[in-house]
Amino acid sequence: MLANKTLSTLIRNVCIRRNFCLSQKILRENIGVKCGVSAKQSKPIHTNKERFLQASAKSLKSERLGSMLQIKTEISNVRVLPDKTELVIEWIDGHESLFQASWLRFHCFCPSCYSSADGLYKIDIERFKKNLTISSTSWNQSEQVLKVHFDNDVPSNHVALLPYDWLRENCYCDVCLKQKLSDRDVITKNSQKPKKMPVVDYDEIKDNPDQFLFDFMHHTFEVGYCKILNFPKEDELFMKFAESLGPVESNPYGYYNGTYFDDVKNAGAVDNVGQTNVDLPFHQDYRYVDTCGQTILHNCIRFDDCVKGGESIMVDLFQVAEILRDESPEDFKVMTKVPVIYENVNSNKRHFQIQKTHIEVDYNGKVTSCLWSGDLRPRLQVRQSDVTRYYKAHKKLSEIMKREELHIRFRHVTGSLVAMNNRRMVHKRTQFESNGGVRHFKQLSLHTAFMRNNYMLLAKKLGRVVSPPMTGNGSFF
């Protein structure tokens, strides 16, 4: 069954590319214009234009069916409003979508406006008049493509092509926007659930590697962390596994030692507090380097039973931020407005600095990123009126973070790996006594955007329905 499905997918993709190339060829030969360029260079005859539109619509339909769930989306009616700057689509299920003329024109899918092969956007928006108006529309249920004609379009003979399913998927009415935010916001939904460490066994990767990787990444995105039991200690196998998730990033400690690994053990190093045995406060790793350490993999090489203490505690910082917003709105606002400087400056090896707010919110007021490094001194370079406000809000946020009911407490064991979303979770380590034993970890950092890309592609391959998850990187999408 799976083999047949894969073969069907390959055949469909070949057809998609063939149809796309055909419509591009027709465009070049019979229309010969790019959007934003004068149409005087070519005057196609009516039959060629119709032939081009039919081929384009056919290609669009095939392509959209191959790229998303085949949800039945049929148009019942299309109404152009009196001022001709908007239209309303009445869907067969009763839902209505209102679209502005400019939005429709600048999202056209015809090959002269958008290349589905490489994602190239070909429209020069500044060539258009300020207020576009709709002259006419047409649609055909078999093609599943809405065609829109505009007054004073560029070029003048252009017809916008918009697939039904894409229009429905991208409806921006209040109801649809709210649903999209809810679907992507795995962080807020899962931060309210009881805290339990998801666990998978590395031995399972032999039987079904795709399913294993998908489950591991799913837990890491949804919950913020995941543990793997029976994980190998060898650097080569650790690196190979990490690269199967996404590109491995350098870090400020491994980089200067000629390696991607951050080697953390109780060696008493004076330039890395992680290699001491002291209690470490809640922090995120490497946050003074903006692009580093988005997802952290902690591989426990050795943790002897005689080592007393050294437990790990994690807290979902997004949950902390929402509690702060609920209990103290003014302090929450301060944390989103007043930036702090975190830095790691070593005269011989490091000079990293970053100034950002502890909490970032987006257009919709959703928390999209959190920053906290309690192991580093927060340095303020802000207006005098914000200093006292900042420390008051800082104190409140820190107090919430220390509430026991928010803590995920665990002790690493030899041969286990813990992945953590370092843009969402904060973690700390309790003080420990070695008693002649060893507490030794190796860490690798991953670029979360690439990891999410691989997660979505793997979900498609496995036939799993998932929404692109929010990752805590400062963007809700």
Side-chain angles (χ1 to χ4, degrees):
M1 178 69 71
L2 183 60
N4 290 337
K5 184 177 180 181
T6 302
L7 179 60
S8 299
T9 301
L10 290 174
I11 294 173
R12 184 190 64 229
N13 288 341
V14 170
C15 292
I16 291 170
R17 179 59 62 87
R18 186 175 298 162
N19 287 334
F20 172 76
C21 293
L22 172 63
S23 56
Q24 289 278 35
K25 181 180 179 181
I26 295 171
L27 173 71
R28 288 193 300 268
E29 293 179 353
N30 298 316
I31 295 185
V33 295
K34 288 179 63 177
C35 292
V37 179
S38 172
K40 294 180 179 179
Q41 300 169 2
S42 176
K43 296 182 179 180
I45 61 176
H46 178 75
T47 54
N48 283 339
K49 180 179 177 182
E50 288 300 316
R51 179 174 166 231
F52 158 69
L53 292 176
Q54 291 170 4
S56 297
K58 182 179 179 182
S59 174
L60 283 174
K61 180 184 176 183
S62 299
E63 182 179 350
R64 295 303 301 167
L65 290 176
S67 66
M68 65 177 295
L69 293 175
Q70 296 187 32
I71 301 173
K72 188 176 182 180
T73 51
E74 293 187 4
I75 291 177
S76 173
N77 188 35
V78 176
R79 293 182 285 112
V80 178
L81 300 188
D83 65 359
K84 300 174 64 176
T85 62
E86 297 173 322
L87 64 75
V88 174
I89 296 178
E90 299 173 6
W91 302 97
I92 200 166
D93 63 357
H95 186 74
E96 292 191 354
S97 302
L98 184 146
F99 296 106
Q100 277 71 32
S102 55
W103 189 94
L104 293 166
R105 178 60 186 90
F106 300 141
H107 284 96
C108 174
F109 271 78
C110 84
S112 60
C113 293
Y114 177 76
S115 171
S116 61
D118 54 20
L120 180 63
Y121 184 63
K122 305 177 183 180
I123 301 176
D124 187 0
I125 295 178
E126 66 183 42
R127 295 292 300 258
F128 293 80
K129 291 190 174 183
K130 184 181 296 184
N131 295 316
L132 281 172
T133 54
I134 301 167
S135 59
S136 64
T137 63
S138 61
W139 68 96
N140 185 301
Q141 301 293 16
S142 62
E143 293 179 350
Q144 294 276 299
V145 174
L146 174 68
K147 300 174 184 178
V148 184
H149 300 252
F150 300 90
D151 297 312
N152 301 313
D153 203 349
V154 181
S156 59
N157 62 345
H158 175 264
V159 180
L161 304 178
L162 298 122
Y164 285 12
D165 54 5
W166 188 88
L167 284 168
R168 184 61 184 267
E169 181 186 2
N170 288 277
C171 173
Y172 48 92
C173 72
D174 290 345
V175 173
C176 289
L177 283 181
K178 184 178 180 180
Q179 185 61 50
K180 289 183 178 72
L181 293 175
S182 176
D183 290 343
R184 287 177 176 267
D185 191 7
V186 297
I187 292 181
T188 301
K189 286 186 288 190
N190 288 282
S191 65
Q192 309 301 324
K193 296 180 180 179
K195 305 302 176 187
K196 185 178 180 181
M197 175 76 75
V199 178
V200 294
D201 194 316
Y202 187 75
D203 291 339
E204 298 172 3
I205 198 171
K206 303 171 188 175
D207 300 325
N208 193 335
D210 286 345
Q211 188 63 53
F212 177 86
L213 291 173
F214 175 83
D215 291 342
F216 175 72
M217 289 191 283
H218 183 74
H219 290 314
T220 305
F221 284 125
E222 295 271 332
V223 185
Y225 46 89
C226 184
K227 177 187 285 188
I228 303 178
L229 300 178
N230 300 313
F231 195 82
K233 301 178 184 179
E234 294 81 6
D235 287 354
E236 182 179 354
L237 293 177
F238 185 17
M239 178 64 76
K240 184 177 180 180
F241 173 76
E243 289 177 336
S244 71
L245 303 172
V248 176
E249 303 175 318
S250 186
N251 65 76
Y253 294 102
Y255 175 79
Y256 291 102
N257 294 319
T259 178
Y260 283 100
F261 295 98
D262 187 353
D263 202 2
V264 182
K265 52 188 172 183
N266 48 318
V270 295
D271 67 337
N272 186 347
V273 69
Q275 298 194 20
T276 67
N277 69 336
V278 302
D279 181 271
L280 293 181
F282 284 116
H283 65 282
Q284 294 166 311
D285 291 335
Y286 321 128
R287 286 312 308 269
Y288 43 82
V289 185
D290 189 39
T291 59
C292 181
Q294 297 179 13
T295 297
I296 303 289
L297 304 179
H298 303 264
N299 189 10
C300 184
I301 307 300
R302 180 176 171 184
F303 201 148
D304 294 337
D305 292 338
C306 62
V307 176
K308 300 304 179 184
E311 286 79 19
S312 297
I313 304 172
M314 294 191 299
V315 172
D316 191 330
L317 199 51
F318 275 64
Q319 183 180 16
V320 172
E322 292 300 339
I323 293 173
L324 179 68
R325 186 190 334 228
D326 182 59
E327 294 184 358
S328 185
E330 183 57 35
D331 288 332
F332 177 85
K333 183 178 180 180
V334 170
M335 289 284 96
T336 66
K337 298 295 184 182
V338 181
V340 63
I341 297 172
Y342 279 126
E343 55 193 352
N344 186 340
V345 178
N346 179 301
S347 58
N348 297 321
K349 292 184 177 180
R350 294 181 292 277
H351 192 108
F352 296 105
Q353 295 175 311
I354 190 172
Q355 185 183 45
K356 298 186 75 172
T357 58
H358 287 288
I359 301 172
E360 293 183 22
V361 295
D362 69 355
Y363 169 81
N364 297 292
K366 288 281 190 178
V367 175
T368 58
S369 182
C370 293
L371 168 69
W372 190 268
S373 285
D375 56 333
L376 299 173
R377 178 180 64 184
R379 182 161 64 90
L380 284 182
Q381 292 282 281
V382 297
R383 290 182 288 272
Q384 293 179 1
S385 58
D386 287 327
V387 172
T388 301
R389 296 171 63 234
Y390 168 80
Y391 284 115
K392 175 180 175 293
H394 184 285
K395 181 177 184 294
K396 178 65 175 177
L397 189 65
S398 181
E399 289 173 348
I400 296 173
M401 211 177 300
K402 293 177 181 177
R403 295 177 184 176
E404 285 287 337
E405 65 269 22
L406 303 180
H407 291 180
I408 305 103
R409 185 183 292 265
F410 63 99
R411 180 183 173 95
H412 288 275
V413 295
T414 301
S416 67
L417 178 145
V418 173
M420 179 184 65
N421 183 338
N422 195 50
R423 291 296 189 265
R424 171 179 176 182
M425 309 301 297
V426 288
H427 64 287
K428 67 167 293 180
R429 180 197 69 198
T430 63
Q431 184 174 343
F432 66 92
E433 296 297 330
S434 299
N435 298 318
V438 174
R439 186 182 187 275
H440 183 199
F441 296 83
K442 286 194 174 182
Q443 292 183 189
L444 287 175
S445 305
L446 300 178
H447 197 296
T448 304
F450 285 92
M451 181 173 165
R452 186 177 77 160
N453 175 73
N454 291 338
Y455 170 70
M456 295 303 299
L457 294 177
L458 199 52
K460 184 178 180 181
K461 179 180 179 181
L462 295 172
R464 302 289 293 271
V465 180
V466 296
S467 293
M470 177 182 167
T471 64
N473 65 349
S475 170
F476 205 84
F477 278 73

